Amino acid sequence: MVDQDVGPNAGPPRAHAAILLLSVLVVATCGLIYELLAGTLASYLLGDSVTQFSTVIGCYLFAMGGGSFLSRYVRRDELGAFIRVEIMIAALGGWSAAGLFMAFPLAADFRVLLYALVLAIGALVGLEIPLLIRILQHRFGFRELVSNVLTYDYVGALIASLAFPLLLVPHLGMIRTGMVFGLANVAVAIALLLVLRGTRAVAADLVAAGLVGASLIVGLTMAERIQRWSEIAYYGEGVIHSRTTPYQRIVLTRRGADLRLYLNGNLQFSSRDEYRYHEALVWPVLGRVAHPARVLVLGGGDGLAAREILRDDRVRHVQLVDLDPEMTRMFRDTPQLAALNHHSLSSPRMTVTNADAFRWVRAASGPYDAVIVDFPDPTEYSLGKLYTESFYREVARLLAPDGVMVVQSTSPLVAPRSFWTVATTLEAAGLTTRGYHAYVPSFGEWGYTLAGHGQPALIEAAHLPAGLRFLNAVSEPLMFDFPPDMARRVTPVNRLDNQALVRSFAEEWAKYDG
Amino acid sequence: MTAEVSRRAVLAGGAALGLAACSPATAAPYPGALLGADVRRGHRLRDAKGQSAFPPPSGAEERIPLVIAGGGVAGLAAGWRLAEAGFGDFALLELENEAGGNARGGGNAVTQFPWGAHYLPVPNREARGLIHMLRGFGMITGEDASGAPIYDPYHLCADLEERLLWRGTWQEGLYPASGLGAADIAQHDRFNAAMEHFRAAVGTDGRPAFASPSALSSRDPAFAALDGQSFAAWLDAQGFTSGPLRAHLRYCCRDDYGTEPDGVSAWAGIHYFAGRRGWAAGGAGQSELTWPEGNARLARLIAARLHPQIRPSHSVVRVVRDGDDVVIDTLDHLAGTIRRIRAGAVILAIPDFVARHVAPDFVGHAGFSYAPWVVANVAVSRQPWGAGVPLAWDNVSAGSETLGYVVATHQTQSAPDGPSVLTWYNALSVGDPAVQRRMMLRRSLGEWQKIIAADLLTMNPELDGAIERIDVWRWGHAMVQPVPGFRADPARVVARAGQGAGPVFRAHSDLSGLSLFEEAHYLGLAAAEGALRHLGRPVESLL
Ligand SMILES: Cc1cc2nc3c(=O)[nH]c(=O)nc-3n(C[C@H](O)[C@H](O)[C@H](O)COP(=O)(O)OP(=O)(O)OC[C@H]3O[C@@H](n4cnc5c(N)ncnc54)[C@H](O)[C@@H]3O)c2cc1C
């Protein structure tokens, strides 16, 4: 049968055998890569990596078994069947990562799609080796044949399993890895077709292989854009900038005039109403300090709180401490973003330090006349440390005797227990407090806590500059009024070794989100 | 430290390494180094069998009133006690380049990390000397109305302390919280009640049944009898047969003693649970004290105070009595010379298997057994997470034979992601320790790295591509094993009885049988106070 296909004059049979054996190596490598890609992607997108990996691998192996079984229905022209299988694998496997990425935000049930793809690729890969064995059975003795095929198969698996984590994912990323191995499948198909040129009609298959190969090459060049596009679908608005730093994924989107910043998928501000948030964060403090010459900002790498602070001519020096150098660089050097914060991060009055504030405060020395504490919400135990009694004691040490500080304290409406935990904790650190809240449409009802060393300034009226968009002498005092649904309640102190805040925060928001 | 390793094992290990160099399968997949106690220095002691292999002492004989041999926690604690008594006329000789012993640590650009001991449970009320020291270090900042110490929260293990990978999900705590049958739950409750009972129990001599330090425990035969059988046998006899319970107890025995439950005495097994009555204000009694570099924090704080007295890279090679004095020969590894010191008293704070060779007149018995451990520090470019509760300080998988990993940046970092170092632990507790030790030394760096990376990636597949470096430390004699009968072991009884006599005082945690900071610290203090009294310096005991 094989001799019919290849023919004695189609070239030296040994050379074909070598090409075919080499293709065992390639297809084995590709097969395992697709499996690893599906497993990694599933755990990346769905979480719970152990489950994802084991179910993906299980389905894949099962489908391979199915493919092997189906190979018995290929009655003639194994070589042709093998070549077509290669082309199909190239298309499905090559595009698998890109396809899953793009489908994730759109698909109603991502899992159905994922497992359908895994089953399809697995079944096709399962067809490969039985077909090859049948093609090669006249070239080698049975013993030699099985040994050869299995050797190349396992060597291919080894190559794939080492290269995937060490080389491919770090250097190519998942989307490109899929495409590169899709091209390898295409190459096997094309190489065989070229060798067989004289003996059979190959034109249709060549065209198909060429088309799939071309699509993969185009895909390779567009991998970056595909990744971005998949995020566009996720955020529902245009992604104009995105970057993965060692600390977080920073995504900036724009719809019309509205710029939005997301850190790890959580909204940080919308340019439409951030002035409300930042005026309410900064001015109740600055308006209550007689001489705010030195101001400390902890967090706030977007430079927006700093913008408000620098409007005050009494301020001589702002020290800003933010974890992520990428974040502060982006908001200093991207024209659009620097325009939003009025170039606060490159002001001569500004010093930016990139450090973990939890460590920085322990080594720093004050005094600061005003301290603005603007950290992400305590969604994680690590972030929760920035809301503890120990941390506030260090900040209190840095705060001048008549200084005032403010802490962004999540929503008193959604999470009243968490909101008041911040006040309880500041008080445990020896400070007096006063909570207030403001309405910021993109966040909802938002809360802040003023704190100081017991000076009367906290309860006095603030001196506000003219020209603010949100606060004036009438609206500012209203923020300190808490209706019953947000009223103060008894809460524990948030300590490093109990992380009461992280726990209540998770509970209250989960209840609110349903 | 690895003086017991046979030459053949080392040669075999060397051959394996030689082969490894030419075979790609064992090439190290990550940057890193294979580390461990200085085997060469250790071997010189064992092979010397006393003195013959060493050159004769050179230079004038030095006179020092008191010498401490060994700078682990026990030796350092002894030195701290002397300093606390205002006594500075001593020298501490340490074989390694740095004091600390099993409580040493390392560091990279991101963080400090431990190489061995990594935490200290909040001490019991009876650990008076230890509490005194922690107060001196500013870790205890005051007392509440009842007199309980107030700990500075920076030193208490931050929440989330522990998580367990159980059936594909990370859950809080190290005991499975879901999927247990009614019988499993009932047994677990019964076990906790039994431990609670032992925790509160007081012997006929008025002492707690299980004290920490263990030397202060009751000698009441009712409790002493528990030393005669293995923990596994005791559990069987009590009907504690639940699979999840036994798996958890096995983890505890391996984590604290490096030993399987059938190799641990029931007394030691129960001590793990019943010996802890941490005394602290504000409900911190259940907590642990920990630092990025682990107990190296404490070792270094003491060592800084003893800087003038510590002589690193100095092995004690021979200790003999000469009239009322003790003569100590010490090998300076940097200069390559032997010097002789004449002292009025010496504190032997070196492991028993070394002391047997260098001070045979004072240590004579068959020897203790030791568990080998492997510790790896794994530098990662981003932190692990996984389904379920987020990253904790101590992360353990119910499905793995290893002891999991602790996160070095847990106490110091507030960034939810970013680079860190994971300290991976494993006790080679199955079977004969000597065989495990040989295998441990024979494995190449690449082989260890593969084992460690595979274990970590099974727990946290998302670490794929994030592992930047794996350094591996091999502890040949990591921990003495509290085998059945260890409390009644004549070697320990004799050593403890000899504590008051002098001029040689012994102070290594081997003597207690429990390789724990509190034990080493207590023995160091006891030896120092004994030695001071021997030298005619009255001291008010801190014990
Ligand atoms: C991997 C590991 C993890 C551990 N984790 C914990 C933990 O989390 N908590 C805990 O409480 N305990 C832990 N331990 C137990 C630890 O052993 C004890 O807490 C304590 O550090 C033991 O101190 P030591 O002084 O008794 O002994 P060692 O640490 O053994 O000190 C002996 C010292 O003597 C030196 N020495 C040896 N021979 C000579 C010589 N001839 N001359 C001069 N010096 C010599 C050695 O170099 C060493 O410095 C751990 C141990 C290991 C190995």
Side-chain angles (χ1 to χ4, degrees):
Chain A
M1 235 186 262
V2 176
D3 285 344
Q4 257 173 34
D5 286 338
V6 182
N9 46 7
R14 271 277 161 195
H16 293 166
I19 291 183
L20 283 164
L21 276 180
L22 200 64
S23 64
V24 175
L25 186 73
V26 175
V27 303
T29 313
C30 293
L32 195 63
I33 292 283
Y34 300 139
E35 175 183 342
L36 290 171
L37 268 179
T40 313
L41 248 156
S43 41
Y44 180 73
L45 295 173
L46 300 174
D48 193 353
S49 14
V50 175
T51 315
Q52 303 310 342
F53 254 96
S54 58
T55 48
V56 163
I57 289 175
C59 282
Y60 192 84
L61 289 177
F62 168 74
M64 277 178 71
S68 304
F69 178 79
L70 290 178
S71 69
R72 71 179 62 191
Y73 299 108
V74 179
R75 295 257 152 76
R76 39 181 196 84
D77 190 8
E78 290 96 332
L79 197 50
F82 177 74
I83 287 169
R84 268 159 236 139
V85 164
E86 280 316 285
I87 297 172
M88 282 191 273
I89 293 181
L92 279 181
W95 278 96
S96 63
L100 289 174
F101 258 120
M102 290 192 285
F104 179 63
L106 305 175
D109 198 339
F110 178 71
R111 267 164 239 256
V112 172
L113 190 82
L114 170 74
Y115 289 111
L117 190 63
V118 166
L119 288 172
I121 298 177
L124 289 169
V125 170
L127 277 166
E128 288 176 326
I129 298 293
L131 287 177
L132 273 170
I133 289 184
R134 277 161 59 191
I135 296 165
L136 288 165
Q137 65 190 346
H138 302 301
R139 301 256 177 265
F140 301 97
F142 182 70
R143 204 154 24 130
E144 197 192 350
L145 171 63
V146 170
S147 145
N148 273 339
V149 169
L150 288 184
T151 304
Y152 282 102
D153 192 13
Y154 289 129
V155 169
L158 177 70
I159 295 174
S161 62
L162 291 182
F164 186 73
L166 298 180
L167 290 175
L168 301 172
V169 172
H171 295 295
L172 286 181
M174 289 192 259
I175 293 182
R176 282 204 200 93
T177 298
M179 308 240 168
V180 165
F181 284 85
L183 282 173
N185 284 119
V186 170
V188 167
I190 292 183
L192 286 174
L193 288 168
L194 291 182
V195 170
L196 300 176
R197 228 169 353 188
T199 62
R200 56 185 289 158
V202 296
D205 288 340
L206 258 183
V207 168
L211 280 178
V212 171
S215 85
L216 288 169
I217 288 169
V218 172
L220 261 182
T221 61
M222 291 182 25
E224 205 74 85
R225 232 178 298 172
I226 292 174
Q227 170 100 28
R228 194 150 356 132
W229 191 79
S230 71
E231 266 173 352
I232 296 179
Y234 176 70
Y235 289 105
E237 44 212 44
V239 172
I240 56 173
H241 192 99
S242 69
R243 178 158 227 134
T244 304
T245 77
Y247 301 104
Q248 54 203 348
R249 176 125 184 103
I250 306 175
V251 171
L252 201 69
T253 68
R254 144 160 280 160
R255 182 156 55 188
D258 185 17
L259 268 178
R260 284 169 180 243
L261 173 72
Y262 295 85
L263 298 182
N264 295 332
N266 297 321
L267 177 64
Q268 301 300 304
F269 71 76
S270 150
S271 65
R272 262 196 307 215
D273 57 19
E274 59 78 15
Y275 69 93
R276 277 184 156 243
Y277 176 84
H278 289 105
E279 284 186 12
L281 177 71
V282 168
W283 290 107
V285 171
L286 289 189
R288 284 176 172 78
V289 180
H291 306 288
R294 284 163 51 83
V295 180
L296 174 63
V297 184
L298 299 172
D302 55 24
L304 295 170
R307 172 195 68 201
E308 294 297 318
I309 297 164
L310 289 169
R311 285 161 77 150
D312 193 327
D313 294 332
R314 300 172 300 168
V315 174
R316 299 261 148 270
H317 178 230
V318 181
Q319 168 71 55
L320 185 141
V321 182
D322 190 280
L323 180 65
D324 195 345
E326 280 300 326
M327 176 84 178
T328 46
R329 192 175 311 140
M330 211 172 115
F331 276 86
R332 189 192 59 207
D333 297 343
T334 311
Q336 234 169 351
L337 300 174
L340 200 61
N341 63 32
H342 295 182
H343 302 271
S344 63
L345 297 180
S346 41
S347 158
R349 288 187 282 159
M350 164 66 77
T351 308
V352 174
T353 304
N354 292 116
D356 184 333
F358 186 67
R359 284 191 230 190
W360 187 88
V361 292
R362 297 188 71 181
S365 49
Y368 290 94
D369 306 302
V371 181
I372 313 280
V373 183
D374 188 16
F375 292 126
D377 282 338
T379 48
E380 315 230 9
Y381 289 99
S382 43
L383 287 167
K385 290 184 184 150
L386 299 169
Y387 292 82
T388 54
E389 182 191 337
S390 302
F391 182 75
Y392 292 147
R393 278 190 190 280
E394 299 294 345
V395 179
R397 186 176 58 75
L398 300 178
L399 186 66
D402 53 356
V404 180
M405 66 184 277
V406 65
V407 179
Q408 149 344 66
S409 328
T410 192
S411 168
L413 183 63
V414 175
R417 208 148 36 89
S418 305
F419 174 79
W420 291 110
T421 297
V422 174
T424 311
T425 307
L426 283 161
E427 287 162 8
L431 297 159
T432 47
T433 66
R434 211 177 157 208
Y436 62 96
H437 59 100
Y439 180 65
V440 183
S442 55
F443 288 173
E445 198 60 48
W446 214 255
Y448 310 80
T449 312
L450 281 181
H453 296 291
Q455 67 275 41
L458 281 196
I459 46 171
E460 283 166 9
H463 303 281
L464 300 173
L468 297 182
R469 290 166 74 192
F470 177 49
L471 293 186
N472 62 24
V474 180
S475 66
E476 204 261 359
L478 296 178
M479 298 199 297
F480 293 86
D481 180 58
F482 282 88
D485 59 350
M486 303 194 282
R488 177 135 198 190
R489 50 209 77 194
V490 178
T491 76
V493 175
N494 185 42
R495 292 198 324 253
L496 282 170
D497 62 336
N498 72 4
Q499 295 263 24
L501 180 63
V502 174
R503 291 164 189 271
S504 70
F505 183 89
E507 246 168 61
E508 292 184 307
W509 278 89
K511 212 182 318 155
Y512 182 78
D513 292 338
Chain B
M1 290 294 301
T2 21
E4 249 183 22
V5 174
S6 79
R7 171 148 290 160
R8 220 182 45 213
V10 174
L11 284 176
L17 278 177
L19 285 177
C22 1
S23 114
T26 45
Y30 303 93
L34 205 49
L35 308 161
D38 197 319
V39 180
R40 211 171 31 83
R41 290 181 186 178
H43 278 192
R44 287 195 65 178
L45 298 178
R46 188 210 48 207
D47 297 343
K49 288 275 179 257
Q51 74 196 108
S52 46
F54 292 111
S58 60
E61 186 179 275
E62 205 179 345
R63 229 182 188 296
I64 305 178
L66 178 50
V67 166
I68 302 173
V73 169
L76 289 169
W80 173 83
R81 182 65 191 94
L82 299 176
E84 210 53 13
F87 185 89
D89 235 356
F90 67 94
L92 188 158
L93 308 173
E94 165 56 48
L95 174 149
E96 301 281 347
N97 297 336
E98 187 199 358
N102 289 350
R104 274 175 289 165
N108 65 12
V110 174
T111 179
Q112 298 280 306
F113 47 71
W115 275 124
H118 51 295
Y119 72 94
L120 168 66
V122 165
N124 288 3
R125 189 191 277 261
E126 62 266 23
R128 289 178 52 216
L130 184 51
I131 290 174
H132 183 90
M133 187 179 84
L134 297 177
R135 197 177 294 124
F137 289 162
M139 294 172 176
I140 294 175
T141 53
E143 287 163 6
D144 72 2
S146 75
I150 299 171
Y151 282 85
D152 178 351
Y154 280 116
H155 306 284
L156 294 172
C157 184
D159 204 19
L160 193 64
E161 204 170 320
E162 299 161 330
R163 65 171 184 168
L164 177 74
L165 183 59
W166 171 249
R167 305 193 174 183
T169 309
W170 290 98
Q171 57 142 64
E172 186 171 349
L174 293 183
Y175 198 80
S178 64
L180 299 182
D184 291 328
I185 293 171
Q187 278 198 29
H188 187 225
D189 292 345
R190 188 160 64 83
F191 179 81
N192 287 342
M195 293 305 120
E196 199 49 60
H197 168 76
F198 281 126
R199 195 176 297 138
V202 175
T204 46
D205 51 6
R207 293 171 158 203
F210 294 90
S212 187
S214 62
L216 302 178
S217 303
S218 169
R219 309 250 160 245
D220 188 335
F223 303 114
L226 289 166
D227 186 34
Q229 60 182 321
S230 77
F231 190 39
W234 182 82
L235 291 168
D236 288 341
Q238 301 292 314
F240 291 124
T241 50
S242 146
L245 177 65
R246 290 296 282 261
H248 176 68
L249 299 182
R250 173 171 184 249
Y251 166 83
C252 295
C253 285
R254 295 177 69 226
D255 195 44
D256 248 35
Y257 306 135
T259 307
E260 298 288 323
D262 60 3
V264 169
S265 111
W267 196 93
I270 295 169
H271 187 273
Y272 177 94
F273 300 94
R276 287 190 191 173
R277 286 177 300 275
W279 187 44
Q286 310 274 26
S287 228
E288 268 129 18
L289 297 160
T290 190
W291 306 268
E293 66 274 42
N295 292 0
R297 168 68 61 93
L298 297 170
R300 287 173 187 166
L301 282 171
I302 305 177
R305 180 155 178 207
L306 307 183
H307 185 70
Q309 283 92 8
I310 295 180
R311 299 186 188 179
S313 307
H314 277 72
S315 282
V316 170
V317 299
R318 182 164 167 266
V319 180
V320 291
R321 193 158 178 171
D322 184 17
D324 285 345
D325 294 340
V326 197
V327 167
I328 301 123
D329 285 347
T330 166
L331 169 60
D332 176 343
H333 288 280
L334 304 181
T337 54
I338 301 263
R339 298 196 164 249
R340 177 156 291 175
I341 303 174
R342 182 171 290 273
V346 61
I347 294 172
L348 279 184
I350 52 181
D352 199 76
F353 70 88
V354 182
R356 254 191 303 146
H357 294 294
V358 303
D361 300 349
F362 308 100
V363 186
H365 61 88
F368 302 135
S369 61
Y370 296 86
W373 277 62
V374 177
V375 178
N377 274 299
V378 182
V380 289
S381 59
R382 53 175 191 268
Q383 295 175 20
W385 62 95
V389 299
L391 190 65
W393 170 64
D394 191 12
N395 303 268
V396 178
S397 165
S400 170
E401 267 289 297
T402 73
L403 299 171
Y405 60 88
V406 296
V407 181
T409 50
H410 181 78
Q411 294 292 95
T412 53
Q413 211 172 54
S414 71
D417 204 349
S420 188
V421 171
L422 313 178
T423 309
W424 177 93
Y425 286 89
N426 197 17
L428 306 178
S429 56
V430 178
D432 179 1
V435 174
Q436 289 285 352
R437 198 170 294 132
R438 268 203 295 280
M439 188 184 72
M440 175 184 84
L441 290 173
R442 204 177 299 141
R443 281 203 168 124
S444 67
L445 175 64
E447 286 167 332
W448 275 121
Q449 288 184 333
K450 273 184 209 154
I451 292 169
I452 293 158
D455 188 52
L456 277 175
L457 290 172
T458 312
M459 276 188 260
N460 294 98
E462 75 280 0
L463 281 181
D464 217 3
I467 297 176
E468 293 180 328
R469 185 182 168 92
I470 303 183
D471 293 307
V472 181
W473 190 293
R474 299 155 309 161
W475 294 103
H477 297 76
M479 295 179 175
V480 69
Q481 298 189 299
V483 297
F486 82 104
R487 301 256 310 156
D489 186 331
R492 287 198 175 91
V493 174
V494 168
R496 275 197 300 258
Q499 208 55 276
V504 173
F505 297 85
R506 299 191 55 200
H508 189 272
S509 53
D510 284 3
L511 290 187
S512 112
L514 306 178
S515 184
L516 298 169
F517 189 95
E518 311 87 297
E519 302 291 317
H521 191 265
Y522 178 85
L523 292 166
L525 264 52
E529 294 186 354
L532 282 173
R533 282 194 202 99
H534 180 77
L535 296 176
R537 290 277 217 131
V539 280
E540 200 186 316
S541 178
L542 277 182
L543 309 171

